[in-house]
Coordinates of all heavy atoms in Angstrom, one line a residue:
M1019 N 72.4 126.6 40.0 CA 71.6 126.3 41.2 C 70.5 127.3 41.2 O 70.7 128.5 41.2 CB 72.5 126.3 42.4 CG 71.8 125.7 43.6 SD 72.8 125.4 45.0 CE 74.3 126.2 44.8
S1020 N 69.3 126.9 41.3 CA 68.1 127.8 41.4 C 68.0 128.5 42.8 O 68.6 128.0 43.8 CB 66.9 127.1 41.0 OG 66.4 126.4 42.1
S1021 N 67.3 129.5 42.9 CA 67.1 130.2 44.1 C 66.3 129.4 45.1 O 66.4 129.6 46.3 CB 66.4 131.6 43.9 OG 65.2 131.4 43.4
K1022 N 65.6 128.4 44.7 CA 64.8 127.5 45.6 C 65.7 126.4 46.2 O 65.3 125.8 47.1 CB 63.7 126.8 44.8 CG 62.6 127.8 44.3 CD 61.4 127.0 43.8 CE 61.8 126.1 42.6 NZ 60.6 125.4 42.0
S1023 N 66.9 126.2 45.7 CA 67.8 125.2 46.2 C 68.1 125.4 47.7 O 68.2 126.6 48.1 CB 69.1 125.1 45.5 OG 68.9 124.7 44.1
L1024 N 68.2 124.4 48.4 CA 68.5 124.5 49.9 C 69.7 123.7 50.2 O 69.9 122.6 49.7 CB 67.3 123.9 50.7 CG 66.0 124.7 50.5 CD1 64.9 123.8 51.2 CD2 66.1 126.0 51.2
M1025 N 70.5 124.3 51.1 CA 71.7 123.6 51.6 C 71.5 123.1 53.0 O 70.9 123.8 53.8 CB 72.9 124.6 51.5 CG 74.2 123.9 51.9 SD 75.7 125.0 51.9 CE 75.3 126.0 53.3
I1026 N 72.0 122.0 53.3 CA 72.0 121.4 54.6 C 73.4 121.0 55.0 O 74.2 120.5 54.3 CB 71.1 120.1 54.6 CG1 69.7 120.4 54.3 CG2 71.3 119.4 56.0 CD1 68.8 119.2 54.2
V1027 N 73.7 121.4 56.3 CA 74.9 120.9 56.9 C 74.5 120.1 58.2 O 73.7 120.7 59.0 CB 75.8 122.1 57.4 CG1 77.1 121.6 58.1 CG2 76.3 122.9 56.1
A1028 N 74.8 118.9 58.3 CA 74.5 118.0 59.4 C 75.7 117.5 60.1 O 76.6 116.9 59.4 CB 73.6 116.9 58.9
K1029 N 75.8 117.8 61.4 CA 77.0 117.4 62.1 C 76.6 116.2 63.0 O 75.7 116.2 63.7 CB 77.4 118.5 63.0 CG 78.6 118.2 63.9 CD 79.0 119.5 64.7 CE 80.1 119.3 65.7 NZ 80.4 120.5 66.5
F1030 N 77.5 115.1 62.9 CA 77.3 113.9 63.7 C 78.6 113.7 64.5 O 79.7 113.8 64.0 CB 77.2 112.7 62.8 CG 75.9 112.6 62.1 CD1 75.6 113.4 61.0 CD2 74.9 111.7 62.5 CE1 74.4 113.4 60.3 CE2 73.7 111.6 61.8 CZ 73.4 112.4 60.7
V1031 N 78.5 113.5 65.8 CA 79.6 113.3 66.7 C 79.5 112.0 67.3 O 78.6 111.7 68.0 CB 79.7 114.4 67.8 CG1 80.9 114.2 68.7 CG2 79.7 115.8 67.2
A1032 N 80.6 111.2 67.0 CA 80.6 109.8 67.5 C 81.0 109.7 69.0 O 81.8 110.6 69.5 CB 81.6 109.0 66.7
Q1033 N 80.5 108.7 69.7 CA 81.0 108.4 71.0 C 82.4 108.0 70.9 O 82.8 107.5 69.8 CB 80.2 107.3 71.6 CG 78.7 107.6 71.9 CD 78.0 106.4 72.5 OE1 78.6 105.5 73.0 NE2 76.7 106.4 72.3
P1034 N 83.2 108.2 71.9 CA 84.6 107.8 71.9 C 84.7 106.3 71.5 O 84.0 105.5 72.0 CB 85.1 108.0 73.3 CG 84.3 109.1 73.8 CD 82.9 108.9 73.1
G1035 N 85.6 105.9 70.6 CA 85.8 104.6 70.2 C 84.8 104.1 69.1 O 84.8 102.9 68.7
K1036 N 83.8 104.9 68.7 CA 82.7 104.5 67.8 C 82.8 105.2 66.4 O 82.0 105.0 65.6 CB 81.3 104.8 68.4 CG 81.1 104.1 69.7 CD 80.9 102.6 69.5 CE 80.5 101.9 70.8 NZ 80.2 100.5 70.6
A1037 N 83.9 106.0 66.2 CA 84.0 106.8 65.0 C 84.0 106.0 63.7 O 83.4 106.3 62.7 CB 85.2 107.7 65.0
D1038 N 84.8 104.9 63.7 CA 84.9 104.1 62.5 C 83.6 103.4 62.2 O 83.2 103.2 61.0 CB 86.1 103.1 62.6 CG 87.4 103.7 62.6 OD1 87.5 104.9 62.0 OD2 88.4 103.1 63.1
E1039 N 82.9 102.9 63.2 CA 81.6 102.3 63.1 C 80.6 103.3 62.5 O 79.8 103.0 61.6 CB 81.2 101.7 64.3 CG 80.0 100.7 64.2 CD 79.6 100.1 65.6 OE1 80.4 100.1 66.5 OE2 78.5 99.5 65.6
L1040 N 80.6 104.5 63.1 CA 79.7 105.5 62.6 C 80.0 105.9 61.2 O 79.1 106.1 60.4 CB 79.8 106.8 63.5 CG 78.9 108.0 63.1 CD1 77.5 107.6 63.1 CD2 79.2 109.2 64.0
K1041 N 81.3 106.0 60.8 CA 81.7 106.3 59.4 C 81.1 105.3 58.4 O 80.6 105.7 57.4 CB 83.2 106.3 59.3 CG 83.7 106.7 57.9 CD 85.2 106.7 57.8 CE 85.6 106.9 56.4 NZ 87.1 106.8 56.2
K1042 N 81.1 104.1 58.8 CA 80.5 103.0 57.9 C 79.0 103.3 57.7 O 78.5 103.2 56.6 CB 80.7 101.6 58.4 CG 82.2 101.2 58.3 CD 82.3 99.8 59.0 CE 83.8 99.4 59.0 NZ 84.0 98.2 59.8
V1043 N 78.3 103.6 58.8 CA 76.8 103.8 58.8 C 76.6 105.1 57.9 O 75.7 105.1 57.0 CB 76.3 104.0 60.1 CG1 74.8 104.5 60.1 CG2 76.4 102.7 60.9
L1044 N 77.3 106.1 58.1 CA 77.1 107.4 57.3 C 77.5 107.2 55.9 O 76.7 107.7 55.0 CB 77.9 108.5 58.0 CG 77.6 108.9 59.4 CD1 78.6 110.0 59.9 CD2 76.2 109.2 59.6
N1045 N 78.6 106.6 55.6 CA 79.0 106.3 54.2 C 78.0 105.6 53.4 O 77.9 105.8 52.2 CB 80.4 105.6 54.1 CG 81.5 106.5 54.0 OD1 81.4 107.6 53.5 ND2 82.7 106.1 54.5
A1046 N 77.3 104.7 54.0 CA 76.3 103.8 53.3 C 75.2 104.7 52.7 O 74.5 104.2 51.8 CB 75.7 102.8 54.3
C1047 N 75.0 105.9 53.2 CA 73.9 106.7 52.7 C 74.4 107.6 51.5 O 73.5 108.2 50.8 CB 73.4 107.6 53.9 SG 71.8 108.3 53.6
V1048 N 75.7 107.8 51.3 CA 76.1 108.7 50.3 C 75.7 108.4 48.9 O 75.1 109.2 48.2 CB 77.7 108.9 50.4 CG1 78.2 109.8 49.3 CG2 78.0 109.5 51.8
A1049 N 76.1 107.2 48.4 CA 75.8 106.9 47.0 C 74.3 106.9 46.7 O 73.9 107.5 45.7 CB 76.4 105.5 46.6
P1050 N 73.4 106.2 47.5 CA 72.0 106.3 47.2 C 71.4 107.7 47.3 O 70.5 108.0 46.5 CB 71.4 105.3 48.2 CG 72.4 105.0 49.2 CD 73.7 105.3 48.6
S1051 N 71.9 108.5 48.2 CA 71.4 109.9 48.3 C 71.8 110.7 47.0 O 71.0 111.4 46.5 CB 72.0 110.6 49.6 OG 71.5 109.9 50.7
R1052 N 73.0 110.5 46.6 CA 73.5 111.2 45.4 C 72.7 110.8 44.1 O 72.5 111.6 43.2 CB 75.0 110.9 45.1 CG 75.9 111.6 46.0 CD 77.3 111.2 45.7 NE 78.2 112.0 46.6 CZ 79.5 111.6 46.7 NH1 80.0 110.6 46.1 NH2 80.3 112.3 47.6
A1053 N 72.1 109.6 44.2 CA 71.3 109.1 43.0 C 69.9 109.6 43.0 O 69.2 109.5 42.1 CB 71.3 107.6 43.1
E1054 N 69.5 110.3 44.1 CA 68.1 110.8 44.2 C 67.9 111.9 43.2 O 68.8 112.8 43.0 CB 67.8 111.3 45.6 CG 67.7 110.2 46.6 CD 67.4 110.7 48.0 OE1 66.5 111.5 48.1 OE2 68.1 110.2 48.9
A1055 N 66.8 112.0 42.6 CA 66.5 113.0 41.5 C 66.7 114.4 42.0 O 67.2 115.3 41.3 CB 65.1 112.8 41.0
G1056 N 66.3 114.7 43.3 CA 66.4 116.1 43.8 C 67.7 116.5 44.4 O 67.9 117.6 44.8
C1057 N 68.7 115.6 44.3 CA 70.0 115.9 44.9 C 70.9 116.7 44.0 O 71.2 116.2 42.9 CB 70.7 114.6 45.4 SG 72.3 114.8 46.1
V1058 N 71.4 117.8 44.4 CA 72.4 118.6 43.6 C 73.8 118.1 44.0 O 74.6 117.8 43.2 CB 72.2 120.1 43.9 CG1 73.3 120.9 43.2 CG2 70.8 120.6 43.5
H1059 N 74.1 118.0 45.3 CA 75.3 117.4 45.8 C 75.1 116.9 47.2 O 74.2 117.4 48.0 CB 76.5 118.3 45.6 CG 76.8 119.1 46.8 ND1 76.3 120.4 47.0 CD2 77.6 118.9 47.9 CE1 76.7 120.9 48.1 NE2 77.5 120.0 48.7
Y1060 N 75.9 115.9 47.6 CA 75.8 115.2 48.9 C 77.2 114.7 49.2 O 77.6 113.7 48.6 CB 74.8 114.1 48.8 CG 74.3 113.5 50.1 CD1 73.1 113.9 50.7 CD2 75.0 112.5 50.7 CE1 72.7 113.4 51.8 CE2 74.5 111.9 51.8 CZ 73.4 112.3 52.4 OH 72.9 111.8 53.6
D1061 N 77.8 115.3 50.2 CA 79.2 114.9 50.5 C 79.4 114.7 52.0 O 78.7 115.4 52.8 CB 80.2 116.0 50.1 CG 80.2 116.2 48.6 OD1 80.3 115.1 47.9 OD2 80.2 117.3 48.1
L1062 N 80.2 113.8 52.4 CA 80.5 113.5 53.8 C 82.0 113.8 54.0 O 82.8 113.4 53.3 CB 80.2 112.0 54.1 CG 80.6 111.5 55.5 CD1 79.7 112.2 56.6 CD2 80.4 110.0 55.6
Y1063 N 82.2 114.5 55.2 CA 83.6 114.9 55.6 C 83.8 114.4 57.0 O 82.9 114.4 57.8 CB 83.7 116.4 55.5 CG 83.5 117.0 54.1 CD1 82.3 117.5 53.8 CD2 84.5 117.0 53.2 CE1 82.0 118.0 52.5 CE2 84.3 117.5 51.9 CZ 83.0 118.0 51.6 OH 82.8 118.5 50.4
R1064 N 85.1 114.1 57.3 CA 85.5 113.8 58.7 C 86.5 114.8 59.1 O 87.4 115.1 58.3 CB 86.1 112.4 58.7 CG 86.4 111.9 60.1 CD 86.9 110.5 60.0 NE 87.0 109.9 61.4 CZ 87.3 108.6 61.6 NH1 87.5 107.8 60.6 NH2 87.4 108.2 62.8
S1065 N 86.3 115.4 60.3 CA 87.2 116.4 60.8 C 88.6 115.9 60.9 O 88.8 114.8 61.4 CB 86.7 116.9 62.1 OG 87.7 117.8 62.7
V1066 N 89.6 116.6 60.5 CA 91.0 116.3 60.7 C 91.5 116.7 62.1 O 92.4 116.1 62.6 CB 91.9 116.9 59.6 CG1 91.7 116.4 58.2 CG2 91.8 118.4 59.6
E1067 N 90.7 117.6 62.7 CA 91.1 118.0 64.1 C 90.5 117.1 65.1 O 91.0 116.9 66.2 CB 90.6 119.4 64.3 CG 91.3 120.4 63.4 CD 90.7 121.8 63.5 OE1 89.6 122.0 64.1 OE2 91.2 122.7 62.9
D1068 N 89.3 116.5 64.8 CA 88.6 115.6 65.8 C 88.0 114.5 64.9 O 86.9 114.7 64.3 CB 87.6 116.4 66.6 CG 86.8 115.5 67.6 OD1 87.0 114.3 67.6 OD2 86.2 116.1 68.5
G1069 N 88.6 113.3 65.0 CA 88.1 112.2 64.1 C 86.7 111.7 64.5 O 86.2 110.8 63.8
N1070 N 86.2 112.2 65.6 CA 84.8 111.8 66.0 C 83.7 112.6 65.3 O 82.6 112.3 65.5 CB 84.7 111.9 67.5 CG 85.5 110.8 68.3 OD1 85.6 109.7 67.8 ND2 86.1 111.2 69.3
V1071 N 84.1 113.7 64.6 CA 83.2 114.6 64.1 C 83.1 114.4 62.6 O 84.1 114.4 61.8 CB 83.6 116.1 64.4 CG1 82.6 117.1 63.7 CG2 83.6 116.3 65.9
F1072 N 81.8 114.3 62.1 CA 81.5 114.1 60.7 C 80.5 115.1 60.3 O 79.6 115.5 61.0 CB 80.9 112.7 60.4 CG 81.8 111.6 60.7 CD1 81.9 111.1 62.0 CD2 82.6 111.0 59.8 CE1 82.8 110.0 62.4 CE2 83.5 109.9 60.0 CZ 83.5 109.4 61.4
L1073 N 80.7 115.6 59.0 CA 79.7 116.6 58.5 C 79.2 116.2 57.2 O 80.0 115.8 56.3 CB 80.4 118.0 58.3 CG 80.8 118.8 59.5 CD1 81.6 120.0 59.1 CD2 79.6 119.1 60.4
F1074 N 77.9 116.2 57.0 CA 77.3 116.1 55.7 C 77.1 117.5 55.2 O 76.6 118.4 55.9 CB 75.9 115.4 55.7 CG 76.0 113.9 55.8 CD1 75.6 113.3 57.0 CD2 76.3 113.2 54.7 CE1 75.6 111.9 57.0 CE2 76.4 111.8 54.7 CZ 76.0 111.1 55.9
H1075 N 77.5 117.7 53.9 CA 77.2 119.0 53.2 C 76.4 118.6 52.0 O 76.8 117.9 51.1 CB 78.5 119.7 52.8 CG 78.3 121.0 52.1 ND1 78.7 121.2 50.8 CD2 77.8 122.1 52.6 CE1 78.4 122.5 50.5 NE2 77.9 123.0 51.6
E1076 N 75.1 119.1 52.0 CA 74.2 118.7 51.0 C 73.5 119.9 50.3 O 73.3 120.9 51.0 CB 73.1 117.8 51.6 CG 73.5 116.8 52.6 CD 72.4 116.3 53.5 OE1 71.2 116.3 53.1 OE2 72.7 115.8 54.6
T1077 N 73.2 119.7 49.1 CA 72.3 120.7 48.4 C 71.2 119.9 47.7 O 71.5 119.0 47.0 CB 73.1 121.5 47.4 OG1 74.2 122.2 48.0 CG2 72.2 122.6 46.8
W1078 N 70.0 120.4 47.9 CA 68.8 119.8 47.3 C 68.0 120.8 46.5 O 68.1 122.0 46.8 CB 67.9 119.3 48.4 CG 68.6 118.2 49.2 CD1 69.4 118.4 50.4 CD2 68.6 116.8 48.9 NE1 69.9 117.2 50.8 CE2 69.4 116.2 49.9 CE3 68.1 116.0 47.9 CZ2 69.7 114.8 49.9 CZ3 68.3 114.7 47.9 CH2 69.1 114.1 48.9
Q1079 N 67.4 120.4 45.5 CA 66.7 121.2 44.5 C 65.6 122.1 45.3 O 65.4 123.3 44.9 CB 66.0 120.5 43.4 CG 67.0 119.9 42.4 CD 66.3 119.1 41.3 OE1 65.2 118.7 41.4 NE2 67.1 118.8 40.3
D1080 N 64.9 121.5 46.2 CA 63.8 122.2 46.9 C 63.4 121.5 48.2 O 63.9 120.4 48.4 CB 62.6 122.5 46.0 CG 62.1 121.2 45.3 OD1 62.2 120.1 45.9 OD2 61.6 121.3 44.2
E1081 N 62.5 122.0 48.9 CA 62.0 121.4 50.1 C 61.4 120.0 49.8 O 61.5 119.1 50.7 CB 61.0 122.3 50.8 CG 61.7 123.5 51.5 CD 60.7 124.3 52.3 OE1 59.6 123.8 52.7 OE2 61.0 125.5 52.5
A1082 N 60.7 119.9 48.7 CA 60.1 118.6 48.3 C 61.2 117.5 48.2 O 60.9 116.4 48.6 CB 59.3 118.7 47.1
A1083 N 62.3 117.8 47.6 CA 63.4 116.9 47.5 C 63.9 116.4 48.8 O 64.2 115.2 49.0 CB 64.5 117.5 46.6
I1084 N 64.0 117.4 49.8 CA 64.4 117.0 51.1 C 63.4 116.1 51.8 O 63.8 115.1 52.4 CB 64.7 118.3 52.0 CG1 65.9 119.1 51.4 CG2 65.0 117.9 53.4 CD1 66.0 120.4 52.0
A1085 N 62.2 116.5 51.7 CA 61.1 115.7 52.3 C 61.2 114.2 51.7 O 61.0 113.2 52.5 CB 59.7 116.3 52.0
L1086 N 61.3 114.1 50.4 CA 61.4 112.8 49.8 C 62.7 112.0 50.3 O 62.6 110.8 50.6 CB 61.5 112.9 48.3 CG 61.4 111.6 47.5 CD1 60.2 110.8 47.8 CD2 61.5 111.8 46.0
H1087 N 63.8 112.7 50.4 CA 65.0 112.1 50.9 C 64.8 111.6 52.3 O 65.2 110.4 52.7 CB 66.1 113.2 50.9 CG 67.4 112.8 51.6 ND1 68.2 111.7 51.2 CD2 67.9 113.2 52.8 CE1 69.2 111.6 52.0 NE2 69.1 112.5 53.0
N1088 N 64.1 112.3 53.2 CA 63.9 111.9 54.6 C 63.0 110.6 54.7 O 63.0 110.0 55.8 CB 63.3 113.1 55.4 CG 64.2 114.2 55.6 OD1 65.5 114.0 55.4 ND2 63.7 115.4 55.9
Q1089 N 62.3 110.3 53.6 CA 61.5 109.1 53.6 C 62.2 107.9 53.0 O 61.6 106.8 53.0 CB 60.2 109.4 52.9 CG 59.3 110.4 53.5 CD 59.1 110.1 55.0 OE1 58.6 109.0 55.3 NE2 59.3 111.1 55.9
Q1090 N 63.4 108.1 52.5 CA 64.1 107.0 51.8 C 64.6 105.9 52.8 O 65.0 106.3 53.8 CB 65.2 107.5 50.9 CG 64.8 108.4 49.8 CD 63.8 107.8 48.9 OE1 64.1 106.7 48.3 NE2 62.7 108.4 48.7
P1091 N 64.6 104.7 52.4 CA 65.1 103.6 53.3 C 66.6 103.8 53.7 O 66.9 103.6 54.8 CB 65.0 102.3 52.4 CG 63.9 102.6 51.4 CD 64.0 104.1 51.1
H1092 N 67.4 104.3 52.8 CA 68.8 104.5 53.1 C 68.9 105.6 54.2 O 69.8 105.5 55.1 CB 69.7 104.8 51.9 CG 69.2 105.9 51.0 ND1 68.4 105.6 50.0 CD2 69.4 107.2 51.1 CE1 68.2 106.8 49.4 NE2 68.8 107.8 50.0
F1093 N 68.1 106.7 54.1 CA 68.2 107.7 55.2 C 67.6 107.2 56.5 O 68.3 107.4 57.6 CB 67.4 108.9 54.7 CG 67.4 110.0 55.7 CD1 68.5 110.8 55.9 CD2 66.3 110.3 56.6 CE1 68.5 111.9 56.8 CE2 66.3 111.3 57.5 CZ 67.4 112.1 57.6
K1094 N 66.6 106.4 56.5 CA 66.0 105.9 57.7 C 67.0 104.9 58.3 O 67.1 104.9 59.6 CB 64.7 105.2 57.4 CG 63.6 106.2 57.1 CD 62.2 105.5 56.8 CE 61.1 106.5 56.6 NZ 59.8 105.9 56.5
K1095 N 67.7 104.2 57.5 CA 68.7 103.2 58.0 C 69.9 104.0 58.7 O 70.4 103.6 59.7 CB 69.3 102.4 56.9 CG 70.2 101.3 57.3 CD 70.5 100.3 56.2 CE 71.4 99.2 56.6 NZ 71.8 98.3 55.5
L1096 N 70.3 105.2 58.1 CA 71.3 106.0 58.7 C 70.9 106.5 60.0 O 71.7 106.4 61.0 CB 71.6 107.2 57.8 CG 72.6 108.2 58.2 CD1 73.3 108.9 57.1 CD2 71.9 109.3 59.1
I1097 N 69.7 107.0 60.2 CA 69.2 107.5 61.5 C 69.1 106.4 62.5 O 69.7 106.5 63.6 CB 67.8 108.2 61.3 CG1 67.9 109.4 60.4 CG2 67.2 108.6 62.6 CD1 68.9 110.5 60.8
A1098 N 68.6 105.3 62.1 CA 68.5 104.1 63.1 C 69.8 103.6 63.5 O 70.1 103.3 64.6 CB 67.6 103.0 62.5
G1099 N 70.7 103.4 62.5 CA 72.0 102.8 62.7 C 73.0 103.7 63.4 O 73.9 103.2 64.1
S1100 N 72.8 105.0 63.4 CA 73.8 105.9 64.0 C 73.4 106.3 65.5 O 74.2 106.7 66.2 CB 73.9 107.2 63.2 OG 72.7 108.0 63.2
E1101 N 72.1 106.1 65.8 CA 71.6 106.6 67.1 C 72.4 106.1 68.3 O 72.8 106.9 69.1 CB 70.1 106.1 67.2 CG 69.4 106.8 68.4 CD 67.9 106.4 68.4 OE1 67.6 105.3 68.0 OE2 67.2 107.3 68.8
S1102 N 72.8 104.8 68.3 CA 73.5 104.3 69.5 C 75.0 104.6 69.4 O 75.7 104.4 70.4 CB 73.3 102.8 69.5 OG 74.0 102.2 68.4
L1103 N 75.5 105.2 68.3 CA 76.9 105.5 68.2 C 77.2 107.0 68.4 O 78.4 107.4 68.5 CB 77.3 105.2 66.7 CG 77.1 103.8 66.3 CD1 77.4 103.6 64.8 CD2 77.9 102.8 67.1
L1104 N 76.2 107.8 68.6 CA 76.4 109.2 68.7 C 76.5 109.7 70.2 O 75.9 109.2 71.1 CB 75.2 110.0 68.1 CG 75.0 109.8 66.6 CD1 73.7 110.5 66.2 CD2 76.1 110.2 65.8
Q1105 N 77.4 110.7 70.3 CA 77.6 111.3 71.6 C 76.5 112.3 72.0 O 76.2 112.6 73.1 CB 79.0 112.1 71.5 CG 79.5 112.5 72.8 CD 80.9 113.0 72.6 OE1 81.1 114.0 72.0 NE2 81.9 112.4 73.2
Q1106 N 75.8 112.8 70.9 CA 74.8 113.8 71.0 C 73.9 113.7 69.8 O 74.3 113.1 68.8 CB 75.4 115.2 71.1 CG 76.1 115.6 69.9 CD 77.1 116.8 70.1 OE1 77.8 116.9 71.1 NE2 77.1 117.7 69.1
P1107 N 72.7 114.3 69.9 CA 71.8 114.2 68.7 C 72.5 115.0 67.5 O 73.2 116.0 67.8 CB 70.5 115.0 69.1 CG 70.5 114.8 70.6 CD 72.0 114.8 71.0
P1108 N 72.3 114.6 66.3 CA 72.8 115.3 65.1 C 72.4 116.8 65.1 O 71.3 117.1 65.5 CB 72.3 114.6 63.9 CG 71.9 113.3 64.4 CD 71.4 113.5 65.8
E1109 N 73.3 117.7 64.8 CA 72.9 119.1 64.6 C 72.7 119.3 63.1 O 73.6 119.1 62.3 CB 74.1 120.0 65.0 CG 74.4 119.9 66.5 CD 75.6 120.7 66.9 OE1 75.9 121.8 66.3 OE2 76.4 120.2 67.7
V1110 N 71.5 119.8 62.7 CA 71.2 120.0 61.3 C 70.8 121.5 61.1 O 69.9 122.0 61.8 CB 70.0 119.1 60.9 CG1 69.7 119.3 59.4 CG2 70.4 117.6 61.2
I1111 N 71.5 122.1 60.1 CA 71.3 123.5 59.8 C 70.9 123.5 58.3 O 71.6 122.9 57.4 CB 72.5 124.4 60.0 CG1 73.0 124.3 61.4 CG2 72.3 125.8 59.5 CD1 74.3 124.9 61.7
T1112 N 69.8 124.2 58.0 CA 69.3 124.3 56.6 C 69.4 125.8 56.2 O 68.9 126.6 57.0 CB 67.8 123.8 56.5 OG1 67.8 122.4 57.0 CG2 67.4 123.8 55.1
H1113 N 69.9 126.0 55.1 CA 70.1 127.4 54.5 C 69.2 127.5 53.3 O 69.3 126.7 52.4 CB 71.5 127.7 54.2 CG 72.4 127.6 55.3 ND1 72.6 128.7 56.2 CD2 73.3 126.7 55.7 CE1 73.5 128.3 57.1 NE2 73.9 127.1 56.8

């Protein structure tokens, strides 16, 4: 991994009773994101302590790869599809 690589951790918290529906929306973004040229890795996790909490752990080659990812139809679909299922806005940390 080059020094320009960036890691993202994005936390999504489902409204009560909406976790399984949110999981489907989030999962739909995994395969196409992994296929993007600038993606080093892209994984989705569900908390074993709180089933309403999901984390994306991503590594991208550089800022340009992230910018391109944010414009992809599958990412836009994730944002639009998850909005009504979330208890709070997603928390995104970039390292």
